[in-house]
Amino acid sequence: MRLLLKLLSLPLILITWIVYALCRLFVLASGAVLGILACLVFVASIVLFFKAGVIAGLSWLAIAFLISPYGLPMAAAWLTGKIGGLNYALRDFLAS
């Protein structure tokens, strides 16, 4: 029974490894691009504070936070770490 479970875990290990590798690539690439974009949106939100009002400035400031390295990219990095943990747990199961 244990051998059957190990054989069934092999495709899951391959799938999680591919997904983990792609997610790491996307997180690294998007972190750099979104960091620059967040800086530009932040500057635009400061301008909007004075030109269009507080509500417009705050909404653009919230968007700048979401695309900054502490917003959505951090959530993506956390999720990528969980996928990597699942991959290593499956590998440990296969090795035991």
Side-chain angles (χ1 to χ4, degrees):
M1 182 66 180
R2 190 160 174 96
L3 180 63
L4 181 64
L5 287 175
K6 286 185 179 187
L7 288 175
L8 289 174
S9 70
L10 283 174
L12 290 175
I13 291 173
L14 181 64
I15 290 169
T16 57
W17 179 75
I18 292 171
V19 169
Y20 178 64
L22 286 174
C23 286
R24 282 187 56 198
L25 177 70
F26 289 146
V27 165
L28 289 175
S30 70
V33 172
L34 289 177
I36 294 169
L37 188 62
C39 182
L40 293 173
V41 172
F42 175 74
V43 170
S45 71
I46 297 299
V47 170
L48 282 174
F49 268 120
F50 296 112
K51 293 284 185 178
V54 176
I55 300 297
L58 284 177
S59 63
W60 278 87
L61 194 62
I63 291 170
F65 174 74
L66 284 177
I67 62 174
S68 73
Y70 297 109
L72 295 176
M74 184 67 75
W78 174 80
L79 186 60
T80 300
K82 293 297 179 184
I83 292 171
L86 175 65
N87 186 9
Y88 288 120
L90 286 170
R91 285 185 189 180
D92 287 342
F93 173 72
L94 188 63
S96 66

